[in-house]
Amino acid sequence: MAFDVSTEQAGDIAVITLSGELDANAAGSFRSAVEEAAAAGPKRVVLIMDKLQFMASAGLRVLVFAKQKMGTGVDLFVVGARDAVLETIEMTGFHHSVIMMDEFDASEIENY
Amino acid sequence: MDSLTVPGNLDSLQAIRDFVLAAAAEAGIDERSAYKLSMAVDEIATNIITYGYGGSATPGDVVIQAGTENGRLQVVLEDTSPPFDPFSRDEPSGLDAPLEERAIGGLGVFLAKRSVDEFRYEYVDGRNRNIFVVNRTTT
């Protein structure tokens, strides 16, 4: 399924919603979405992944890029990642650096 | 043995994964193992296309074959880019390191090796051959 990404800004939270298959071919548009979100200087970045069916290491590299682009003070939340995607995130140790959540909870993210 | 030939560009990745998932379904491989196999093949195909063929305007082809034997599914990726042995690279270090401090690279091969039961590489007759094997699980 084709990759799709959309970005919205809610106060100082940037919400990036991913769907479909995130491979090396699609990573560029994810990276652009991160750059777009970073431009607004958010305090928190939330990646909604419940409709993401596939993620290759190219997607992980964009997570690294996001973390480096936003700066250490900005927390990265990964919400609703499916088991297969979650397993990749854990296998590569990325779960130590992002905050994993099952469901989007605005107040929990706000107060984190 | 089923086979598929696609041009060596990133637009072909989807077709490669679809081929692998279809072969895994036909071989009775469980969903989780099928996903991991498709990821392993995708990662190596990405490296072939990105580094092997190096974004050439006229890249060579990637040939993918799948077949079962003794309850094991074997997938072979073949390309005619310069010899590249994925085992010649060091494993990425610092998987526990914060993302801010990470070097970007080597993760694809790392994931590929850990996502199948067997992963081999050979260079035969001017072709790179990356071979992935998954055992059928009885659940």
Side-chain angles (χ1 to χ4, degrees):
Chain A
M1 201 181 107
F3 177 70
D4 203 17
V5 57
S6 64
T7 310
E8 58 188 301
Q9 196 77 23
D12 48 17
I13 300 178
V15 180
I16 301 175
T17 305
L18 311 172
S19 65
E21 300 182 45
L22 175 49
D23 61 13
N25 205 21
S29 45
F30 179 25
R31 193 183 156 104
S32 301
V34 167
E35 283 177 326
E36 188 191 318
K43 291 207 171 68
R44 294 168 181 80
V45 178
V46 182
L47 301 166
I48 310 282
M49 292 200 182
D50 60 308
K51 292 193 175 68
L52 191 66
Q53 297 167 323
F54 176 82
M55 183 171 69
S57 65
L60 294 174
R61 280 193 289 277
V62 179
L63 296 187
V64 174
F65 170 76
K67 198 76 186 171
Q68 292 174 347
K69 182 93 182 163
M70 305 283 179
T72 32
V74 179
D75 285 323
L76 216 55
F77 295 80
V78 169
V79 176
R82 297 181 182 187
D83 287 349
V85 170
L86 199 60
E87 196 174 340
T88 305
I89 290 173
E90 289 176 349
M91 216 189 313
T92 48
F94 276 49
H95 59 301
H96 298 306
S97 293
V98 300
I99 298 144
M100 313 293 297
M101 293 179 89
D102 290 339
E103 282 177 34
F104 183 81
D105 183 334
S107 66
E108 196 182 330
I109 290 169
E110 195 80 53
N111 297 315
Y112 193 84
Chain B
M1 188 174 264
D2 291 334
S3 119
L4 172 77
T5 301
V6 291
N9 59 53
L10 293 176
D11 284 332
S12 297
L13 290 174
Q14 177 81 62
I16 291 171
R17 289 196 303 277
D18 290 348
F19 176 88
V20 172
L21 290 177
E26 198 178 323
I29 303 291
D30 67 277
E31 207 173 304
R32 176 171 174 268
S33 303
Y35 177 93
K36 292 174 79 169
L37 172 65
S38 77
M39 180 172 66
V41 174
D42 175 275
E43 294 291 352
I44 299 303
T46 296
N47 283 356
I48 291 166
I49 292 162
T50 310
Y51 304 112
Y53 291 133
S56 157
T58 52
D61 289 336
V62 175
V63 179
I64 179 165
Q65 297 168 311
T68 46
E69 201 178 314
N70 303 324
R72 314 179 84 199
L73 172 64
Q74 176 171 293
V75 173
V76 182
L77 267 186
E78 282 192 359
D79 68 271
T80 55
S81 71
F84 176 74
D85 179 353
F87 292 92
S88 66
R89 283 181 71 165
D90 291 337
E91 296 255 303
S93 58
L95 290 172
D96 291 333
L99 297 190
E100 301 89 302
E101 294 165 17
R102 283 195 183 223
I104 299 178
L107 281 176
V109 172
F110 169 84
L111 282 174
K113 286 177 188 167
R114 275 162 185 74
S115 298
V116 289
D117 292 310
E118 197 180 319
F119 176 44
R120 302 197 305 275
Y121 167 81
E122 58 194 31
Y123 190 75
V124 182
D125 295 333
R127 301 168 80 83
N128 292 295
R129 284 169 53 86
N130 286 279
I131 301 157
F132 311 78
V133 180
V134 173
N135 301 325
R136 191 180 297 155
T137 46
T138 44
T139 45

